[in-house]
Every structure is written in C-alpha cells, then in structure tokens.
Amino acid sequence: MIYKEYKADLNKLKSSWLFALMCLFASSAYANPPQLTQFIAGKIQAAQALQQQERYTDAIELLTELTPRQAYDQAFVQRVLGIFHWQQENTDQAVKNLSLAVESQLLPIEQTWMTQRMVADILLSQQKYQQALPHYYVLVNSYMLNDGVLVNTAVDNDKQSHKAVTKRNKKTSNIKTKEFTELWLRIAQIHYQLREWDKVLSAVGSYEGINTQGDQVQALNLQLTAQSQLQRWPAAIDTLDRIIAVEPDKLLWWQQLAGLQLRISQPQAALTTLILAQRQGLALSVQARRTLAQLYAQQGIPEQAARELDLLVKDITDNDKRQKMLAEQAQYWQMAKEWNKAISTWRDVINLSTDDTAEYRWPLAQLLLQQGSYKAALAELNHHQIKQGRSKNKQAAIELAKVRAYYKLAQFDRAISHAKLAQHIVPSASAKGWIKYLQQVRQINS
C-alpha cells in the first residue's frame, strides 16, 4: 500500500534532488560551504552532462572510476552516485552509496538530512519497513528547525551549539516544518504496515504536535485504525468525529461512527448519527437503513421504523430478501398499533411465499382475531400450512384461537370440538376452561 502511495512522490523527489545537486555549485545554504577540488567538480559536471543525455551507464562509470583523496570529495561523489543509481532503479547500490555519504558526516547539514531521507525513501519504496524506520527516526529526532535553520541536535553542544550553527548559517534552510510532518506521517504508516498500533498512535501524536494545516484525514484514519485494533472505542469515536468534520460528505465515516456507538451500547447516539447522515444528503446503504429502522423501533418510534423500510422494500427484487424485510415491517406496524397496515403487510409477505407460510399466517390470524375479522382469521387458522413444523404447544395455541373465532361466530359445537383437540394436544387450564364454559353456553342456547 505504501509503495503505491509514494511511487509517484519518489519519482518527483529524484528529479528535485538532482536539480538541487546541479544548483549546488551556484549557491549553498551555508556561508562557508565545503569546496570540491577542481578536478572532482569537473568530473561531476561531466557526469551530469552525460546523465542529461540519458547516458546513465557512462555517467556512473565515470564517477565509479574516481579515487578522490579529499574526504569531502569522496562523500560528495558517493552522494551523486547514489542519486544516479536510484534513477536507474539500482536501489541496493543507491542505498550503499548514499549511506556512505551520510556516514561520512562531511556533507553540509542540509545535504546530510536530504541524503538520509533519500536512503529512507528508497528503502520504503522497496517495502523494507524495518530498515527504513531508523533512518526516518534520525531525520525527525536528531534534527530541528531553529529560527528557520536546520540544526543537528545530536551533535555535542561543546562542538556545535545551536547558536553557533545559526550564526554560521546565514540563509534560511530549504527544509520546512511541513517536511517534518510528512516524515512523521510516513513513520505512522510504516508502523501501520507492521501492525504496531501503539507506535502508530505515538507517531500520529508527534505529527499532530507540529502540524499546522489542521486535521488531516490521512493521519486521522491511521489513528482510527490503531484505536480500533486496540479496542479503544471512545477514543475511536472522538477520532471519527474529527474526520467527519473534515469530510462530512463521505458516508463511510458516518456508518463507522454509528457502528462504534452501537458497539459501546449507545443506540440513541447511533440513531442520531444516521439521521444526521441522511440530513447531510447521504444515501445510506440498505444495511444502514435497516439498522436505522431497528434503532427507531428500539427508541420507541416503530412507525418511523416501518416507514424507513417502506422506502427500501420497493427497490428490492429478490423475493426472499423482500419477504424478510416485509415481515420486519409488519412487526413494526404492529408495534405502532397500525393494525390495518400490519394486516396488509402480512398478506404481502404471504403472497411472496412459494412454500412454507406457517410463520407468517399465525401473526396475521392473531391480528385478524384482534380486529374482529373472525371469518378471515379462520381462513388463515384452517390453512393446511399453518401447523407445518409447529411444536405441540403452538398447535394447541392455534386450536384455541379457532375456539375463540367460532365462539364469536356462535358456532359452539365447532368451538367445543377445537377446545377438546387443544386439550388433547397439550392439556391446559385454558382448554379445560373453554370446554366447560362452551358446554354451558350450548345448553343455554339449545
């Protein structure tokens, strides 16, 4: 992942560092920079000319054959060779040459910093995360910007105090604070790749400590992932709030926030989050809309829950999925005491069934009984599928429901017959009571 993200950036860096190298003879960030000997300077200029003609092999051979006597010449040649090898994708050799230039400690401070960054970036581009990390940490921990001037804080104060460095460096450094923030972000991303979650959080904290650009989603997303992996849910929720403030139009963040709020048992907060996402003009996924409906029901607003599903079910073409959603909607209508809508929805559910309708006919029959539609209730209760796969207790309950319907229709003989059947299936006080009562009623009406 990191390699893909930074491949383009690394190509730009190659060009920018080569350009900086070409300009080195004309200017420097230092008042009294080290000087190349005339012979070596001439060879490097010749190598650059070959490089511009795309004669990379000739340029590298020219510099490789050199045997500089001066230590600074050696370091500088190694640096140029490293850049040329990098341009040719000879990454191992590039790292070797550039590392020698850094280890010499003879290059001016800014060149040393930039060269070490080259080493780190090359290793990162090769996904050698463990090798790249120490270089990045040196870049951010051993250097600082002091009044706009790059300072090596690892140098012994007796040899090179900050004041002395600042005094010698007349010009402001080309290294900016933004580059330090970029390096901390890369460090966080490498720890992410290595699944070192605590270190991801630490690196993001250092990034935020010097970042002046406001909240950045890339860093916050790394932080969010680390917090989630460490199951630090409240902290992850805070991070998502910050991400949403930057990218309110991205549905993913709202859905993740609602998911975390549900994880820590905050259904009211999750409901509010999904409602706010809708008000933001975002189209929730089918699953998110179902979750929203469930949350409405849990919070005592079943009518709105049913309406949410009503908007969804129209677009579902798969019969099984449509049937399940309609059954859920029918339950919400019942909870809302919208009896007619519940009855109508249960009928829609049954009409979609191609085989077993038992689990849907029973709640429909109960609603029809409740609403006084006894003949319609009996049509469901007497359907041949209603008892399929039912336990004895459920079969007895169905028979008792028939008893009630026939009683209301004054068909007492039938009512007694089903009461006895219920008592036979599962003896109960209710069945026994109905039998006794109905026999008395029949005598009175005979």
Side-chain angles (χ1 to χ4, degrees):
M1 183 183 78
I2 288 181
Y3 176 73
K4 290 181 180 179
E5 286 183 12
Y6 286 108
K7 188 173 182 180
D9 290 344
L10 292 174
N11 288 332
K12 291 178 183 177
L13 284 170
K14 291 179 188 178
S15 300
S16 65
W17 280 326
L18 181 62
F19 177 77
L21 179 65
M22 294 171 66
C23 295
L24 185 62
F25 301 106
S27 64
S28 175
Y30 295 85
N32 298 298
Q35 296 294 319
L36 291 169
T37 61
Q38 187 174 358
F39 175 76
I40 294 299
K43 291 294 184 180
I44 289 176
Q45 287 178 327
Q48 289 175 342
L50 291 170
Q51 185 272 344
Q52 289 176 3
Q53 297 171 32
E54 298 187 0
R55 295 170 59 187
Y56 301 108
T57 302
D58 292 339
I60 290 171
E61 285 181 358
L62 189 157
L63 295 181
T64 303
E65 292 172 357
L66 295 177
T67 55
R69 295 181 180 178
Q70 300 294 327
Y72 177 69
D73 287 352
Q74 294 174 12
F76 200 95
V77 168
Q78 292 296 333
R79 184 173 190 266
V80 179
L81 269 173
I83 294 174
F84 285 173
H85 276 299
W86 190 12
Q87 287 190 311
Q88 288 300 99
E89 306 288 341
N90 300 324
T91 54
D92 289 342
Q93 189 60 48
V95 168
K96 181 179 179 180
N97 291 127
L98 294 172
S99 296
L100 287 171
V102 171
E103 291 163 7
S104 74
Q105 293 295 311
L106 293 171
L107 298 174
I109 186 173
E110 188 169 311
Q111 287 186 42
T112 300
W113 190 93
M114 292 176 65
T115 305
Q116 184 138 32
R117 180 172 179 178
M118 291 184 207
V119 174
D121 286 342
I122 292 171
L123 291 169
L124 174 59
S125 74
Q126 298 301 300
Q127 302 180 44
K128 296 178 179 179
Y129 304 129
Q130 295 284 12
Q131 296 177 45
L133 267 176
H135 293 283
Y136 282 120
Y137 273 115
V138 168
L139 290 168
V140 295
N141 289 331
S142 298
Y143 294 86
M144 64 174 288
L145 287 172
N146 186 7
D147 294 330
V149 176
L150 188 67
V151 175
N152 187 344
T153 59
V155 175
D156 184 2
N157 288 335
D158 292 336
K159 295 180 180 178
Q160 191 176 26
S161 69
H162 292 179
K163 288 185 178 179
V165 172
T166 304
K167 185 176 181 180
R168 285 200 303 274
N169 291 274
K170 304 274 183 168
K171 295 183 180 180
T172 301
S173 171
N174 289 321
I175 308 301
K176 303 301 180 185
T177 300
K178 182 181 178 183
E179 295 189 52
F180 281 84
T181 62
E182 290 173 353
L183 292 179
W184 275 117
L185 186 60
R186 292 196 182 186
I187 289 170
Q189 289 171 317
I190 292 174
H191 285 305
Y192 171 91
Q193 292 294 319
L194 297 173
R195 301 181 68 81
E196 297 172 343
W197 307 120
D198 283 316
K199 291 180 180 179
V200 170
L201 295 179
S202 178
V204 172
S206 296
Y207 165 89
E208 292 190 325
I210 59 175
N211 176 46
T212 59
Q213 305 300 311
D215 283 344
Q216 302 295 311
V217 171
Q218 195 174 15
L220 290 174
N221 195 16
L222 289 170
Q223 179 172 281
L224 172 64
T225 302
Q227 289 166 337
S228 298
Q229 290 292 331
L230 295 169
Q231 298 187 12
R232 299 178 185 176
W233 309 124
I237 286 173
D238 290 341
T239 299
L240 272 169
D241 283 333
R242 292 172 61 189
I243 293 175
I244 287 172
V246 179
E247 290 188 348
D249 296 331
K250 195 167 182 179
L251 177 61
L252 171 66
W253 307 131
W254 294 94
Q255 293 185 160
Q256 283 188 320
L257 178 57
L260 288 181
Q261 288 165 333
L262 287 174
R263 183 180 285 274
I264 62 172
S265 302
Q266 292 183 349
Q268 179 61 60
L271 175 60
T272 300
T273 294
L274 293 177
I275 292 172
L276 289 174
Q278 282 187 320
R279 291 177 180 173
Q280 189 69 28
L282 300 175
L284 299 183
S285 66
V286 171
Q287 185 55 50
R289 292 287 288 276
R290 291 191 73 170
T291 300
L292 179 59
Q294 291 165 0
L295 289 171
Y296 272 126
Q298 289 174 21
Q299 297 303 308
I301 319 173
E303 183 176 355
Q304 188 58 40
R307 294 189 189 283
E308 282 295 327
L309 292 187
D310 194 49
L311 297 172
L312 279 180
V313 74
K314 297 173 183 176
D315 298 324
I316 296 177
T317 56
D318 182 273
N319 262 11
D320 289 339
K321 292 180 180 179
R322 185 180 177 87
Q323 186 181 54
K324 289 177 181 178
M325 190 171 291
L326 281 170
E328 192 175 337
Q329 185 185 31
Q331 292 168 357
Y332 293 149
W333 285 129
Q334 282 184 234
M335 292 169 63
K337 298 183 179 179
E338 293 281 353
W339 312 120
N340 290 335
K341 289 180 180 178
I343 289 170
S344 176
T345 306
W346 281 123
R347 289 194 186 282
D348 290 340
V349 174
I350 291 170
N351 289 336
L352 285 172
S353 297
T354 56
D355 43 32
D356 183 15
T357 60
E359 64 176 305
Y360 308 124
R361 291 188 184 279
W362 174 237
L364 173 58
Q366 289 177 298
L367 275 178
L368 290 168
L369 274 176
Q370 176 185 298
Q371 295 305 105
S373 300
Y374 304 118
K375 290 183 179 179
L378 283 169
E380 301 301 329
L381 292 168
N382 287 320
H383 194 278
H384 69 279
Q385 288 185 338
I386 198 166
K387 287 186 180 181
Q388 287 180 358
R390 296 293 183 173
S391 66
K392 287 190 174 182
N393 284 336
K394 183 64 70 176
Q395 291 179 36
I398 291 170
E399 294 303 324
L400 288 174
K402 293 178 184 178
V403 170
R404 182 184 170 193
Y406 283 122
Y407 167 72
K408 291 291 185 179
L409 293 171
Q411 297 182 26
F412 305 123
D413 288 339
R414 284 196 172 186
I416 291 172
S417 174
H418 287 286
K420 289 180 178 179
L421 181 55
Q423 180 68 0
H424 173 73
I425 295 171
V426 177
S428 67
S430 179
K432 188 176 181 180
W434 267 114
I435 293 170
K436 182 178 180 181
Y437 173 72
L438 288 169
Q439 285 174 340
Q440 292 173 348
V441 171
R442 187 173 58 180
Q443 286 179 356
I444 293 172
N445 288 277
S446 60

